[in-house]
Amino acid sequence: HHHRLRRLEGRARGHRHGEQDNGRVPQQRPHAPGARPPQDRGRMPGVHRRRQGLRSHLNLFTRGIRPRPSFFRLLSVAQLVQRSTPSPHRGIPGPMPFGEFASRLGAGGSDGPADMCTLFDEYAAVGGIPKAVDAWAETRDIASVDGVLSGILDDLMESITDERGEAFATKCMGILRSIPRQLSGNNRKFMYGSVSSGLRLRDLRGPLDALEGSGATVEIPIFSKGSRAGSILLCSDTGLMRLLAGTSAGSEPESLLDAMTVSAVLLEMRRVHPELACWRSGNRAEAFTIDGMDGSTVAVQIEPRSRAYARSLRGYLENHPGDGGVIVSPDPVDIPGISWVPPWEASSIRRGLR
């Protein structure tokens, strides 16, 4: 047994069976680029050590079996980064917040609540893309705003088509067009099948990442019973959302107007609170959570119209005693233990708590 083991070890070093060591340096068989050296092959992940044991390792050396070069080992680091990172697209210009929009239009803090409410409705319809805001300030014509937004959207789709292909760009446009429809319904959760029948997350993960990377969409996570339960997908600009809905100016249905107002409030909050998330209990109770000034959590219920029942907010506060509660609505709300903040002050919710 001792001599047999010596012969096997000699074969592993490159000797032929029965050949004596006459002082020559054993000739090493070249191995493929990127493969492990022969002395390291016994630790390869592909070798099942538990089943095969020492004899299988020696047989590998004896036969001269070497691992096939891995595809990823042959790629340089730069090539891997290039393959894993999508090419940058001509993205959506960063929309301005409501305060800057009001300044562009010459409005100030001395305006009354009615004027600010009207101005916020204009902001939700026009959006915050600088060129679109300039067109609105100069002409007060929504058609000129739509012309600017259409050009920006066409540039984005052309860039994605050039980089990723027409089929990929078609999925991206399908996602964008589904956002107004999904946000206008009772359930704001993004449904993949609403883009096109039969599509799933694996089919849309690439387009979703591309749209978020280009600044066209914003994703808000949904949590239910302590675990992730999907997400709400927003257009990064409410003017683009109105354009994608395909309705003419002035004829938007009430559900779309509500969705635009809610989106504008959420985008204002997201600029200040990147930790913004959605809490859900069932299909209807919904509140948005942000971090408070003292380390606690603040729950926000958004009511785009004057009515405010605070059902969702009360449900959250019952399950999370000690957290703060805020209702965002156009008209003041007087509910014990719950603060009111108007939509145009959504970015300063934490300072408005009482």
Side-chain angles (χ1 to χ4, degrees):
H1 179 73
H2 175 72
H3 292 291
R4 183 170 179 270
L5 185 60
R6 290 283 301 273
R7 288 198 301 271
L8 290 175
E9 290 176 348
R11 293 180 188 180
R13 291 194 301 268
H15 293 287
R16 292 190 302 272
H17 175 62
E19 183 180 23
Q20 302 295 327
D21 188 0
N22 297 325
R24 296 182 304 168
V25 178
Q27 183 178 2
Q28 298 291 336
R29 189 175 300 180
H31 56 276
R36 295 173 182 263
Q39 63 270 21
D40 292 339
R41 282 177 293 179
R43 296 192 296 270
M44 284 186 55
V47 178
H48 304 286
R49 291 191 292 267
R50 292 184 179 178
R51 294 185 179 180
Q52 298 178 351
L54 177 62
R55 179 174 297 179
S56 297
H57 285 268
L58 292 175
N59 287 338
L60 284 176
F61 290 136
T62 304
R63 296 177 187 174
I65 297 177
R66 288 170 174 80
R68 297 179 63 182
S70 172
F71 172 74
F72 289 102
R73 289 179 188 170
L74 296 179
L75 289 176
S76 65
V77 175
Q79 288 173 318
L80 286 175
V81 172
Q82 184 178 5
R83 285 176 177 266
S84 61
T85 305
S87 301
H89 309 302
R90 293 192 293 271
I92 302 297
M96 64 180 68
F98 172 72
E100 186 177 348
F101 175 86
S103 299
R104 289 279 186 101
L105 298 182
S110 60
D111 294 340
D115 296 332
M116 295 301 293
C117 186
T118 303
L119 192 62
F120 192 82
D121 290 341
E122 290 184 17
Y123 176 68
V126 175
I129 295 179
K131 289 184 178 180
V133 175
D134 292 340
W136 176 252
E138 293 174 1
T139 64
R140 295 285 177 164
D141 182 11
I142 199 67
S144 62
V145 174
D146 289 348
V148 172
L149 296 177
S150 297
I152 293 174
L153 190 61
D154 291 343
D155 288 344
L156 175 64
M157 289 298 105
E158 182 181 354
S159 175
I160 293 178
T161 303
D162 293 341
E163 295 290 340
R164 308 298 293 271
E166 186 174 353
F168 190 90
T170 300
K171 290 182 179 180
C172 291
M173 180 56 75
I175 291 173
L176 291 176
R177 291 194 182 280
S178 73
I179 291 177
R181 182 173 62 254
Q182 297 199 50
L183 294 180
S184 300
N186 293 328
N187 187 3
R188 295 190 182 101
K189 178 181 176 180
F190 180 75
M191 307 299 291
Y192 307 108
S194 180
V195 178
S196 182
S197 178
L199 291 182
R200 299 181 180 180
L201 174 60
R202 64 172 178 264
D203 304 314
L204 298 178
R205 185 71 272 174
L208 286 170
D209 291 341
L211 290 174
E212 187 175 5
S214 64
T217 59
V218 174
E219 185 176 352
I220 298 177
I222 299 175
F223 293 92
S224 179
K225 298 180 181 180
S227 60
R228 181 74 180 265
S231 60
I232 296 175
L233 194 65
L234 306 175
C235 285
S236 61
D237 183 75
T238 52
L240 281 175
M241 175 182 168
R242 179 186 53 79
L243 181 68
L244 290 165
T247 58
S248 58
S251 62
E252 298 90 348
E254 194 170 285
S255 59
L256 178 60
L257 294 175
D258 291 348
M260 291 163 52
T261 301
V262 172
S263 296
V265 172
L266 289 175
L267 292 172
E268 285 285 286
M269 293 170 58
R270 179 64 182 267
R271 290 188 182 94
V272 184
H273 305 283
E275 76 282 0
L276 176 68
C278 178
W279 169 87
R280 277 197 171 187
S281 177
N283 292 328
R284 300 300 298 272
E286 179 181 85
F288 297 92
T289 59
I290 59 175
D291 294 339
M293 298 283 287
D294 55 354
S296 62
T297 301
V298 178
V300 181
Q301 179 178 335
I302 304 173
E303 291 291 344
R305 305 180 197 175
S306 298
R307 68 180 190 277
Y309 301 109
R311 293 194 183 111
S312 296
L313 197 53
R314 290 183 186 276
Y316 175 88
L317 295 177
E318 289 177 0
N319 294 322
H320 303 83
D323 290 349
V326 175
I327 284 186
V328 177
S329 66
D331 295 334
V333 175
D334 188 11
I335 301 177
I338 295 177
S339 301
W340 168 74
V341 172
W344 51 91
E345 295 180 6
S347 59
S348 58
I349 282 180
R350 288 191 301 188
R351 297 194 299 270
L353 292 177
R354 64 166 181 254

